[in-house]
C-alpha cells in the first residue's frame, strides 16, 4: 500500500514548475470537462467520447512521428474524428457503427505510427496513460485557447443545446438547428478530449469525460446543479489524482479514475438512500 500512497517529499514536488503546470492544466481541464460531461451523458455519447479519444491518440502519434507538438496533433486528430462522427453518424442507430469503423481504422493507424517512431519509449507510453511531465508552457497555451473556445461556445448555445439534448424531436419541431448543434457539440467533445489525452492518456479519457456527468446525473435532474456537481467531481478527480501520483511516481490516470469511480459509487448510494429514480448514466 505504501507503494501506492505516499506523501514523502510532496512539498518539494509541489514547488517544481512541471508539477505546477500540470495542476493548472488539470484545473482548466476539470472546468471544461465538467461543463460538457452532463450533456454527453444525457445525449448518450459515451462511445463517441471513447472513439474521439482513440483518434486523439492517433493524432498525437502522428505528431510524435513528424516531430511537432503532441498536444497540437491530438487536437487535430480529435477534431477530425468528431467531425467525421458528426457528419456520418448523426442518427442514433447509425452512430455506434460509424464510430466503431472509424475508431478501428484510427487506432490501427496510431499503433503503426508509434511502431515507426524511434524516440523515447516514455513518449509512447504517455499517450496511452498520460504524463504530467509532458505538460509544459506550450501545452498550457494550447489548453487555455481551446478552453476559452469551448466555454465561449457553450455560453452562447447552452440553452438550445440542452433543449436538443433533452428532446431532439420537439426541439427540431420548434426550429432549433439540431443537426448543426450536434456537429458543433461533437467538435467541442473532440477539443476537450484532446486536452485530456496528454494528462490522463487515451485509455482513461472516459474517467474525465463521462464519470463526473454520470455521477452528477444520479443525484439531480437540475441541469445547472448537475453541471456544477460534475465540475466539482472532475476537479477533485484530476487535482487529487495528480497530487496522489506525485510521491509514488506512478501514472496519474489510475488515481484519477479511482477517485472518479468512488465519486460515482457515492452518488449512486446517495440516490438510493434518497429514493430517487436514477436517470440514464
Amino acid at each position: 500500500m505504501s507503494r501506492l500512497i505516499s506523501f514523502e517529499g510532496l512539498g518539494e514536488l509541489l514547488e517544481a514548475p512541471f508539477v505546477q503546470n500540470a495542476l493548472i492544466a488539470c484545473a482548466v481541464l476539470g472546468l471544461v470537462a465538467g461543463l460538457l460531461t452532463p450533456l454527453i451523458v444525457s445525449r448518450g455519447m459515451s462511445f463517441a467520447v471513447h472513439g474521439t479519444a482513440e483518434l486523439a491518440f492517433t493524432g498525437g502519434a502522428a505528431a510524435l512521428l513528424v516531430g511537432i507538438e503532441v498536444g497540437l496533433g491530438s487536437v487535430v486528430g480529435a477534431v477530425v474524428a468528431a467531425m467525421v462522427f458528426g457528419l456520418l453518424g448523426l442518427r442514433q442507430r447509425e452512430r455506434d457503427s460509424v464510430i466503431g469503423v472509424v475508431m478501428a481504422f484510427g487506432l490501427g493507424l496510431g499503433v503503426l505510427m508509434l511502431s515507426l517512431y524511434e524516440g523515447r519509449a516514455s513518449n509512447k507510453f504517455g499517450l496511452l496513460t498520460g504524463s504530467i511531465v509532458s505538460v509544459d508552457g506550450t501545452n498550457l497555451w494550447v489548453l487555455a485557447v481551446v478552453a476559452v473556445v469551448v466555454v465561449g461556445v457553450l455560453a452562447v448555445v447552452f440553452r438550445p443545446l440542452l433543449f436538443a439534448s433533452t428532446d431532439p424531436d420537439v426541439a427540431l419541431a420548434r426550429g432549433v438547428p439540431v443537426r448543426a448543434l450536434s456537429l458543433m457539440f461533437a467538435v467541442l467533445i473532440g477539443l476537450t478530449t484532446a486536452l485530456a489525452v496528454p494528462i490522463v492518456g487515451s485509455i482513461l479519457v472516459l474517467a474525465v469525460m463521462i464519470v463526473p456527468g454520470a455521477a452528477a446525473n444520479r443525484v439531480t435532474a437540475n441541469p445547472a446543479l448537475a453541471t456544477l456537481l460534475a465540475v466539482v467531481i472532475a476537479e477533485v478527480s484530476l487535482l487529487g489524482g495528480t497530487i496522489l501520483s506525485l510521491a509514488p511516481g506512478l501514472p496519474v490516470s489510475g488515481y484519477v479514475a479511482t477517485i472518479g469511480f468512488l465519486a460515482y459509487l457515492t452518488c449512486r448510494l446517495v440516490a438510493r438512500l434518497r429514493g430517487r429514480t436514477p436517470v440514464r448514466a
Side-chain angles (χ1 to χ4, degrees):
M1 192 65 181
S2 60
R3 182 71 179 90
L4 297 175
I5 305 294
S6 174
F7 297 100
E8 184 178 352
L10 181 59
E12 292 156 3
L13 287 169
L14 290 174
E15 294 177 359
F18 77 92
V19 173
Q20 294 173 1
N21 286 340
L23 292 175
I24 294 172
C26 287
V28 176
L29 176 60
L31 172 63
V32 178
L35 292 174
L36 287 177
T37 180
L39 290 170
I40 293 172
V41 173
S42 65
R43 293 173 71 91
M45 295 185 68
S46 299
F47 189 43
V49 171
H50 180 56
T52 304
E54 301 298 348
L55 272 294
F57 156 75
T58 303
L64 275 179
L65 187 61
V66 301
I68 64 174
E69 173 60 38
V70 174
L72 182 60
S74 295
V75 169
V76 172
V79 170
V80 169
M83 294 181 68
V84 170
F85 295 157
L87 291 172
L88 298 183
L90 287 174
R91 295 181 180 178
Q92 182 68 43
R93 67 175 181 270
E94 299 174 349
R95 186 184 299 156
D96 285 354
S97 59
V98 169
I99 293 171
V101 170
V102 176
M103 183 177 70
F105 169 71
L107 187 57
L109 192 61
V111 171
L112 175 62
M113 287 187 288
L114 276 190
S115 300
L116 296 174
Y117 175 67
E118 298 179 352
R120 292 185 303 170
S122 60
N123 291 334
K124 301 179 182 181
F125 190 63
L127 280 176
L128 296 174
T129 62
S131 173
I132 60 173
V133 180
S134 66
V135 180
D136 55 18
T138 304
N139 292 122
L140 287 181
W141 275 110
V142 173
L143 182 64
V145 171
V146 173
V148 169
V149 171
V150 172
V151 174
V153 172
L154 273 180
V156 174
V157 304
F158 185 79
R159 288 177 64 86
L161 183 59
L162 179 62
F163 188 14
S165 302
T166 305
D167 198 333
D169 293 331
V170 175
L172 186 61
R174 294 285 185 88
V176 176
V178 174
R179 184 181 180 86
L181 286 173
S182 296
L183 182 57
M184 182 184 301
F185 188 64
V187 173
L188 295 182
I189 290 175
L191 288 171
T192 308
T193 300
L195 301 183
V197 168
I199 299 173
V200 298
S202 61
I203 296 176
L204 289 177
V205 163
L206 296 180
V208 176
M209 297 295 293
I210 300 299
V211 175
N217 282 3
R218 281 283 167 180
V219 295
T220 180
N222 183 303
L225 186 57
T227 301
L228 177 61
L229 182 56
V231 169
V232 171
I233 293 173
E235 294 284 7
V236 172
S237 298
L238 284 162
L239 293 173
T242 299
I243 291 172
L244 288 175
S245 71
L246 289 175
L250 297 173
V252 65
S253 53
Y255 293 90
V256 173
T258 300
I259 294 174
F261 182 64
L262 292 175
Y264 178 73
L265 291 180
T266 301
C267 289
R268 286 189 67 102
L269 178 61
V270 170
R272 182 179 293 274
L273 292 176
R274 289 169 54 187
R276 181 178 180 275
T277 301
V279 298
R280 181 179 61 184

